[in-house]
Amino acid sequence: MEGASKPSALPLTDEQRKRMDRNLKLAQERRAKKRRYHDAPIVLTQEQKDRAEENRKRALDIQRRFQVQQPQTKQQQQEPVCHQSTSDHQQVVNKRQLDEIGRPSQDHIPPKKKKRVTFPEVEFEIRTFERDDITTLDADGPIANSGNADYDCPTEQITLLSEQHGRARRKLRDISKHDLRTTMKYGKKTRAHDCKRTGRPRYQFQFANVVYITDETCRREITCYKDPVDIQKCPVTEPMRREHGALRKILREEPHLCVSNAYIIIDQSGSMKTSDVNGFRNRSQAAYGSLALDFISEQLHGRPRNERVVESVTMIEMKEIGEVFLEKEPLDWILFNKIIDRQKQAIPKSHGNYRESLRLAKQLMLAEIQLLRRAEIDFEEFPNFMLLFLSDGKPSDNDPVDSLAQHQIITELSETLGAKLTFYAMGVGKSRGNFTALQELVRTSERCGAQGQFVHAGLSSAVLSSTFGDISRTMTETRTELLGIEKVNKVQKEYTLQEKGSSVGKDIDVFKCYIKENHIKRCTFNKARYELNPEMPWEEIPFKNSCTEDVTGFEMETWPFGAGAERIAYRFHEIANDGQNGSHKRVGKMMVAKESKYKSDEHDFDEKIRARFHVDFCLVQMKAKELAVEFNREVSKCATLKPAEEGNAPSPPLEFLDCHVYAHNSGKCDGLLVESFLKGRFTKYNCNNGHVKKYQGRMINLVAGAVDVEEFPQAFSHWVYIHTDHNMIVCDIQGVYNEEGRFPKFELTDPAICTKKKPRYGNTDLGVKGIRNFVSTHKCGKVCKALGLPLISSADS
């Protein structure tokens, strides 16, 4: 503003004036020294001058040989002028003349400002050109291969002119100057993309995994990088896509079938751009590459062929905020391909905040837990949860408030899931001290009941790979544990089975029991009574042969002829008076008496244990029989499961045997579970551990085509699972295929029922584990498809 007074300068103290004068004097001295350096002549020995002249002549000879037409300047047509110094063995030449001596002129290239250096460095800049070193261009300018660069001097004497940008890139990507010299000497030289700003050509040297870009002189460094490992994607077929879609539907609608849920947080802050992990372009690509190869691929290769295992993976990228990259993706080869694509697309940037990413992971995990609770899944049958946190340094949000919030998140998850949660923290970087925050989070998870582990992978791709491999093997063991049958410490009774071929006629000890003396009663399971009093569901009924004979008791062999996973089988007969000397005779057909093969905790004949065994057995068999009746009705209604021609055998029905209990008070035992004896080859068609019997090729002709009869027991298990709204399956289906009657049929016994909800159906009810086992191995056939059952196996495709 006009008329306004200017502010007065602040007064300086004597000390400040002295400091200003001293700094000014130093600056003047530096400028004077720089001028002297640039104006100083370069001193050559005679030997050095002769070598430069020889190289100049060789270069000119190569130009003439390949007809490189270049106009010459006046200075090139004249001999270089050398000034004799006071010393007889030294001559002086300026740098501009030395450059013209050392290499041919290129007037078509715009002049560049040259860096003045001392002569020993300039000497090695004068290259020796051979025939193979000349890169020729056609009219369109394609790249011509020059082969290996041929340098006569040792590797360490190859001169590189670097600038600040090149040095920064080498430091960022952990590439030494020796690596660049080695690349120039032994690498493959090709034409690179021209400079976008000036249009000048550039060249690329490649050796091992190092790529080095230079200017047109092949001496000045432009940039360099490490060629990353190229991980090939897995070919995906249409059946694999259908299976992937089916698995996603299962994860969405039937979360209880999932064996494990993995939540992976990958650091994508700016420091992950650092190129210091061998074999990868940067830390981000190393993390994604190792995750795909050693975590995903390792587990997929370890699975049995054609076995479905439902596992989910959720991935979160940690930046300023957490971003969900993949949510509840099935662990399969399609997921492998998605991670490979992300490896090339991910762009690390900005800060890495632990708190937001952990909060997002907690939100997703608690939502999954809520789905399981809504489905009324017991906590013991929850799938395992894994939280994997990979970072390369300290969190950006490291103030006390954020740190407290991070520990609260881990505490809440650990207390909610307990041993079901495994927290892996992985540090990628040189200094172990940068991962104190990660280590503290692991200790917090362990204190709150979860399993925790911290691993410092450093900058080694081998350690990174090994760590992911260890995590993968741990998950495989967990999957095997969840799908396998839990071994219960039970004490078996001592027994010896009869040799094969033993018959009833042989001299075998028998146990006899009489009605009058031992108060024998024959009882059947009554469902209505069971609902009123589960401990006493029995209803007394007449003996099996009482219509034709005066039954007086029963006899049972003391030597078992068969044994299953839970029961021992004995031959059993009802008996009646023979009328001769008070003897007894066997009446009716032979039956089978069964009892548990394990001792109780107290003594062999614990009445409560035996009663519970009888109740469970009859309850399971009665429920299976009810479901089989409905299944047979559905099959009979299905048009495509009718005989192809009149007179052909129809679809075989499934029939479960009736079971009864013979109660008595002989002291030898407190009751026997008895059912009819099955004639024929006894076969177990499937099991509650996922085992499925191979078909034997007994075919029947139906409208749907030729169908193996053994498909029907497998389809029954599948039908029950769908019919009960995914709440139970009937498995452990075993018995005989009876072809003696007019039409064949399956006569079955001793099934197992696995349920998602309580109450349980005895010791053979493996719960969700049994359902997972069935889903992982079941193969849908023509019967399943004819009944309209959805595909539930990877082998179905």
Side-chain angles (χ1 to χ4, degrees):
M1 183 180 296
E2 194 172 341
S5 60
K6 295 183 180 180
S8 58
L10 295 175
L12 300 177
T13 63
D14 293 341
E15 183 180 355
Q16 289 174 332
R17 288 194 187 92
K18 290 179 182 179
R19 190 183 303 135
M20 289 179 62
D21 293 341
R22 185 169 61 252
N23 291 341
L24 181 62
K25 184 177 179 181
L26 290 173
Q28 290 174 349
E29 290 178 355
R30 284 196 296 269
R31 284 196 293 270
K33 184 177 180 181
K34 189 174 182 180
R35 282 196 299 271
R36 288 195 302 272
Y37 170 77
H38 283 292
D39 296 338
I42 299 176
V43 181
L44 268 69
T45 64
Q46 184 63 37
E47 180 182 358
Q48 291 169 338
K49 181 186 174 184
D50 293 342
R51 188 182 307 169
E53 177 66 17
E54 182 182 351
N55 290 338
R56 184 187 70 82
K57 291 180 180 179
R58 184 179 300 176
L60 292 174
D61 181 59
I62 292 173
Q63 278 187 326
R64 288 193 297 270
R65 195 183 315 167
F66 289 93
Q67 299 179 357
V68 179
Q69 300 299 331
Q70 297 177 351
Q72 292 185 342
T73 63
K74 292 182 179 181
Q75 291 181 351
Q76 285 179 320
Q77 296 173 359
Q78 300 176 358
E79 290 293 328
V81 179
C82 299
H83 304 281
Q84 186 71 28
S85 66
T86 55
S87 175
D88 295 337
H89 64 279
Q90 289 183 336
Q91 292 182 340
V92 179
V93 62
N94 62 35
K95 187 174 184 296
R96 180 181 298 278
Q97 291 173 332
L98 181 64
D99 289 341
E100 294 172 357
I101 293 172
R103 63 174 184 272
S105 172
Q106 295 180 351
D107 289 348
H108 64 285
I109 300 176
K112 294 180 64 176
K113 185 178 180 181
K114 302 298 181 180
K115 175 184 176 182
R116 288 187 177 274
V117 294
T118 57
F119 180 76
E121 187 170 354
V122 175
E123 174 190 359
F124 296 120
E125 289 180 0
I126 301 174
R127 296 185 55 207
T128 302
F129 291 91
E130 298 293 344
R131 183 183 182 91
D132 293 338
D133 288 326
I134 302 300
T135 302
T136 59
L137 302 176
D138 60 14
D140 298 328
I143 297 176
N145 237 345
S146 66
N148 293 334
D150 186 11
Y151 289 88
D152 292 336
C153 58
T155 303
E156 291 299 330
Q157 293 181 358
I158 297 175
T159 302
L160 300 178
L161 301 180
S162 62
E163 297 178 351
Q164 184 176 1
H165 174 79
R167 288 191 294 271
R169 288 294 173 266
R170 278 194 276 114
K171 183 178 180 181
L172 176 69
R173 292 158 185 169
D174 195 25
I175 301 175
S176 66
K177 209 165 186 178
H178 177 78
D179 294 334
L180 298 188
R181 292 189 178 106
T182 304
T183 302
M184 288 189 66
K185 185 170 184 178
Y186 301 106
K188 180 180 179 181
K189 177 185 175 185
T190 55
R191 181 74 176 266
H193 295 291
D194 295 345
C195 179
K196 294 182 179 179
R197 183 171 57 84
T198 63
R200 290 183 177 180
R202 289 179 175 178
Y203 291 93
Q204 171 180 298
F205 294 85
Q206 185 171 2
F207 181 69
N209 68 327
V210 177
V211 178
Y212 173 41
I213 308 295
T214 69
D215 67 354
E216 70 273 15
T217 65
C218 299
R219 292 175 301 171
R220 188 174 300 278
E221 176 185 5
I222 302 299
T223 188
C224 61
Y225 58 88
K226 290 182 179 180
D227 202 18
V229 176
D230 187 19
I231 304 175
Q232 298 297 320
K233 293 167 66 175
C234 174
V236 177
T237 62
E238 187 59 32
M240 292 169 67
R241 291 189 182 94
R242 289 199 300 268
E243 171 68 5
H244 182 78
L247 288 171
R248 292 195 67 174
K249 183 178 179 182
I250 289 175
L251 289 173
R252 186 171 58 252
E253 299 177 358
E254 303 174 63
H256 58 277
L257 294 181
C258 184
V259 177
S260 66
N261 294 292
Y263 296 84
I264 303 173
I265 300 176
I266 297 285
D267 190 350
Q268 285 296 290
S269 60
S271 57
M272 291 293 284
K273 290 190 295 186
T274 307
S275 178
D276 52 7
V277 181
N278 291 331
F280 295 96
R281 187 77 174 266
N282 52 39
R283 294 178 181 179
S284 174
Q285 289 199 4
Y288 278 112
S290 299
L291 179 67
L293 288 176
D294 302 295
F295 181 75
I296 304 298
S297 177
E298 182 81 13
Q299 294 190 69
L300 293 174
H301 281 300
R303 288 181 180 175
R305 189 177 179 182
N306 291 333
E307 180 175 318
R308 165 181 284 178
V309 178
V310 185
E311 296 176 286
S312 78
V313 174
T314 298
M315 294 189 63
I316 299 171
E317 292 185 339
M318 183 181 72
K319 298 179 183 178
E320 284 274 6
I321 59 173
E323 298 177 3
V324 178
F325 160 51
L326 295 170
E327 183 174 359
K328 291 188 74 170
E329 281 288 316
L331 198 154
D332 57 9
W333 289 112
I334 293 179
L335 172 65
F336 175 86
N337 289 348
K338 288 181 179 180
I339 294 177
I340 295 302
D341 288 337
R342 191 62 181 174
Q343 181 197 28
K344 301 171 184 177
Q345 298 168 0
I347 302 176
K349 60 181 179 180
S350 188
H351 300 289
N353 293 330
Y354 282 17
R355 178 179 179 177
E356 291 301 314
S357 298
L358 287 171
R359 182 191 60 78
L360 185 55
K362 184 193 79 169
Q363 179 182 341
L364 295 171
M365 294 171 76
L366 293 180
E368 185 68 17
I369 295 170
Q370 190 64 29
L371 285 177
L372 294 168
R373 287 174 175 168
R374 209 175 290 150
E376 301 181 15
I377 305 299
D378 291 342
F379 179 77
E380 293 76 13
E381 295 178 335
F382 271 25
N384 276 11
F385 287 78
M386 184 196 77
L387 179 59
L388 172 61
F389 199 121
L390 187 147
S391 177
D392 70 340
K394 300 177 182 178
S396 299
D397 51 344
N398 54 5
D399 59 80
V401 175
D402 289 325
S403 298
L404 178 61
Q406 296 163 17
H407 284 269
Q408 287 176 344
I409 291 171
I410 296 299
T411 300
E412 183 178 353
L413 289 175
S414 301
E415 291 178 347
T416 302
L417 291 169
K420 289 285 184 180
L421 173 65
T422 305
F423 179 40
Y424 292 99
M426 190 182 303
V428 180
K430 291 182 179 179
S431 175
R432 191 182 181 92
N434 291 335
F435 305 110
T436 305
L438 273 181
Q439 292 172 318
E440 289 297 328
L441 290 175
V442 169
R443 295 190 189 100
T444 298
S445 68
E446 291 176 334
R447 284 195 300 268
C448 296
Q451 303 177 59
Q453 182 179 355
F454 172 78
V455 178
H456 179 222
L459 297 174
S460 170
S461 57
V463 177
L464 195 63
S465 171
S466 173
T467 303
F468 274 117
D470 292 341
I471 297 174
S472 175
R473 283 185 287 275
T474 301
M475 289 191 66
T476 301
E477 293 172 1
T478 301
R479 179 173 65 245
T480 303
E481 178 183 344
L482 285 174
L483 293 176
I485 296 179
E486 184 180 357
K487 292 185 178 180
V488 181
N489 294 325
K490 297 180 181 178
V491 180
Q492 285 194 18
K493 297 176 181 177
E494 296 180 1
Y495 64 90
T496 304
L497 293 179
Q498 297 180 25
E499 297 179 4
K500 290 185 178 181
S502 298
S503 64
V504 182
K506 285 192 176 182
D507 187 14
I508 298 175
D509 291 338
V510 296
F511 160 67
K512 292 183 180 182
C513 195
Y514 302 100
I515 296 176
K516 292 181 179 181
E517 298 175 4
N518 305 115
H519 304 287
I520 302 174
K521 296 179 181 179
R522 182 171 182 253
C523 302
T524 186
F525 185 87
N526 187 295
K527 185 176 179 181
R529 291 190 178 186
Y530 174 78
E531 292 174 353
L532 294 174
N533 184 4
E535 300 296 330
M536 290 299 297
W538 309 112
E539 179 183 357
E540 185 176 354
I541 59 175
F543 288 92
K544 186 173 183 179
N545 299 288
S546 60
C547 296
T548 58
E549 299 285 348
D550 184 17
V551 177
T552 58
F554 66 82
E555 70 174 24
M556 180 184 72
E557 294 180 355
T558 57
W559 192 1
F561 72 93
E566 292 283 333
R567 294 171 254 282
I568 309 171
Y570 302 85
R571 292 187 176 94
F572 179 95
H573 289 87
E574 288 184 348
I575 58 175
N577 289 325
D578 193 12
Q580 299 178 3
N581 301 325
S583 60
H584 295 81
K585 63 179 180 179
R586 294 172 178 174
V587 294
K589 295 182 180 181
M590 183 180 72
M591 294 181 282
V592 177
K594 296 182 178 181
E595 67 174 3
S596 174
K597 67 189 297 185
Y598 298 104
K599 296 179 180 180
S600 65
D601 293 336
E602 299 178 4
H603 51 85
D604 282 358
F605 303 106
D606 186 337
E607 182 179 354
K608 291 184 179 180
I609 297 295
R610 185 178 298 278
R612 186 73 253 171
F613 168 79
H614 295 336
V615 171
D616 290 342
F617 184 95
C618 293
L619 176 64
V620 170
Q621 195 135 313
M622 183 201 66
K623 182 65 176 178
K625 185 172 184 176
E626 291 176 356
L627 292 169
V629 170
E630 295 185 46
F631 174 76
N632 294 335
R633 191 181 301 120
E634 289 289 329
V635 171
S636 64
K637 291 179 181 178
C638 184
T640 56
L641 294 180
K642 294 184 180 296
E645 298 179 4
E646 193 173 342
N648 287 357
S651 300
L654 277 63
E655 297 181 0
F656 285 89
L657 301 180
D658 292 320
C659 56
H660 303 89
V661 171
Y662 283 70
H664 57 90
N665 59 358
S666 66
K668 177 70 176 177
C669 56
D670 302 303
L672 293 170
L673 186 67
V674 179
E675 61 183 12
S676 300
F677 177 78
L678 295 176
K679 291 184 179 180
R681 184 172 183 178
F682 197 88
T683 305
K684 177 172 280 197
Y685 298 101
N686 61 29
C687 190
N688 57 0
N689 65 359
H691 169 74
V692 176
K693 179 185 176 295
K694 294 183 178 179
Y695 298 157
Q696 297 298 315
R698 289 182 291 188
M699 314 300 290
I700 56 174
N701 293 319
L702 303 176
V703 175
V707 177
D708 195 302
V709 295
E710 294 186 3
E711 282 191 26
F712 285 89
Q714 311 300 340
F716 171 63
S717 296
H718 188 179
W719 178 86
V720 170
Y721 181 62
I722 303 301
H723 180 71
T724 60
D725 195 20
H726 310 107
N727 284 322
M728 71 166 59
I729 60 166
V730 178
C731 52
D732 239 9
I733 297 179
Q734 52 196 323
V736 299
Y737 182 60
N738 189 345
E739 300 179 273
E740 292 183 357
R742 181 181 176 187
F743 297 118
K745 63 180 179 180
F746 286 97
E747 294 180 334
L748 306 171
T749 183
D750 202 2
I753 293 180
C754 297
T755 56
K756 188 172 72 174
K757 304 176 182 178
K758 291 184 178 180
R760 299 299 185 202
Y761 285 81
N763 294 331
T764 56
D765 185 351
L766 300 183
V768 175
K769 184 186 296 185
I771 298 176
R772 289 174 183 150
N773 292 334
F774 170 75
V775 170
S776 68
T777 57
H778 173 70
K779 299 179 182 180
C780 287
K782 293 181 180 179
V783 179
C784 293
K785 295 175 184 177
L787 293 173
L789 304 177
L791 301 179
I792 59 170
S793 171
S794 59
D796 299 336
S797 304

